[in-house]
Amino acid sequence: MSDKILDVKGLSGGYGDITIVRDVNFSIGKGEVVCLAGRNGVGKTTLMKLLSGALAPGKGHICLNGKDLSGLNAFERQQKQISHGLQEQSVFSGLTVRDNLSLTGKWGKSSLVDRLLEAFPIIEKRYDVQAGKLSGGERKLVSFCRSVVEDGLMTLLDEPTEGVQPENIERMGEVILEQAKQGRSFIVAEQNLSLIEQIADACWMMDHGELKSLFPASPNLRERIVSELLI
Ligand SMILES: Nc1ncnc2c1ncn2[C@@H]1O[C@H](COP(=O)(O)OP(=O)(O)O)[C@@H](O)[C@H]1O
Ligand SMILES: [Mg+2]
């Protein structure tokens, strides 16, 4: 793989004394989109949090663009260009949609903001609505736009499509692919097999806190994922 952007070695961690993610090793190239699939509770969200610093890692190393981020907190990692769209509580419910987006410091006049508003016109219509009053799917769209507009080298999206309408899921996929073409890398924890088929260069299967198999993009990717989930 050329231009390795994220390199993770021996990453383990969890909650207090409970280890959830065990000795995870992988790397991701510049512009690569990797999906993370697996049954509920296998540790996808915990892995994402260990990567972004939302949870302090127990053990291991996380290098982004050659720099070791292991000792940095979530804010410092964000400065180093890891963006994280959380699965739960992905927006500030007491703030308007506009304020949620403005908090990134990047929701101004830009071709990326124009592209996101073109893909999801509902965002502009809901600008002055408190995020807590949105539907679950609309909140996910706001969270998606926030993570994308942060424009990080590495973007982590944790179940971005929960409750989102199919046409907007497809547009999320289009935006991810356009951004990846410009050299951004993505890890997307996802259950929606159509989105995985649309965007994945490869899909990691996770089980019991470990990365078990890596399936490259292929015409039978969906079948491979489903059969692995049934084991
Ligand atoms: N805050 C927490 N404290 C203790 N255990 C947790 C916490 N959050 C998640 N877990 C446990 O960690 C395991 C992995 O959860 P999670 O990473 O959310 O899985 P996934 O995202 O794959 O559904 C589960 O057994 C879950 O019960
Ligand atoms: Mg999860």
Side-chain angles (χ1 to χ4, degrees):
M1 183 193 307
S2 61
D3 280 345
K4 201 190 272 187
I5 208 79
L6 182 73
D7 197 20
V8 175
K9 288 214 169 75
L11 184 65
S12 300
Y15 307 92
D17 291 339
I18 308 167
T19 301
I20 302 287
V21 167
R22 291 161 201 282
D23 192 23
V24 160
N25 298 280
F26 67 93
S27 37
I28 293 193
K30 190 169 158 60
E32 197 174 12
V33 179
V34 174
C35 289
L36 190 58
R39 289 184 299 267
N40 276 337
V42 294
K44 303 181 295 296
T45 292
T46 308
L47 174 57
M48 296 289 221
K49 287 183 173 173
L50 289 169
L51 293 174
S52 71
L55 274 178
K59 278 194 221 153
H61 288 280
I62 300 165
C63 289
L64 183 72
N65 215 9
K67 295 193 187 89
D68 194 338
L69 307 186
S70 314
L72 305 184
N73 65 30
F75 177 71
E76 291 163 333
R77 288 187 200 187
Q78 199 175 12
Q79 305 282 302
K80 300 285 182 200
Q81 301 217 31
I82 292 197
S83 309
H84 186 181
L86 292 162
Q87 180 178 359
E88 309 284 347
Q89 286 144 8
S90 55
V91 293
F92 296 97
S93 355
L95 299 182
T96 63
V97 168
R98 190 198 308 269
D99 289 343
N100 265 282
L101 294 164
S102 301
L103 279 180
T104 59
K106 296 198 170 166
W107 195 262
K109 282 202 181 310
S110 74
S111 52
L112 183 50
V113 170
D114 288 346
R115 173 69 182 107
L116 289 165
L117 290 175
E118 176 208 28
F120 312 113
I122 189 76
I123 294 287
E124 217 165 359
K125 291 191 189 135
R126 297 278 190 269
Y127 259 167
D128 296 318
V129 176
Q130 270 196 348
K133 301 213 165 111
L134 300 175
S135 70
E138 288 172 347
R139 279 201 290 270
K140 282 289 185 178
L141 283 184
V142 175
S143 169
F144 177 81
C145 289
R146 273 180 41 183
S147 306
V148 170
V149 84
E150 278 181 7
D151 206 13
L153 282 175
M154 184 76 241
T155 301
L156 314 175
L157 300 173
D158 195 352
E159 310 252 356
T161 68
E162 269 178 328
V164 177
Q165 291 178 346
E167 66 266 26
N168 281 335
I169 296 178
E170 199 175 332
R171 290 192 196 128
M172 283 178 162
E174 287 161 8
V175 168
I176 290 170
L177 289 174
E178 287 161 20
Q179 293 301 305
K181 254 196 191 143
Q182 294 180 28
R184 295 175 64 183
S185 309
F186 289 81
I187 302 178
V188 186
E190 190 48 65
Q191 317 252 2
N192 184 301
L193 295 174
S194 300
L195 183 72
I196 296 178
E197 285 183 310
Q198 185 187 355
I199 63 173
D201 291 306
C203 182
W204 273 111
M205 299 301 302
M206 194 165 188
D207 197 13
H208 289 95
E210 294 178 12
L211 294 181
K212 290 281 189 199
S213 332
L214 180 64
F215 299 145
S218 75
N220 65 352
L221 179 61
R222 177 184 286 253
E223 287 75 19
R224 294 186 78 181
I225 294 170
V226 171
S227 59
E228 187 85 2
L229 288 174
L230 293 176
I231 290 172

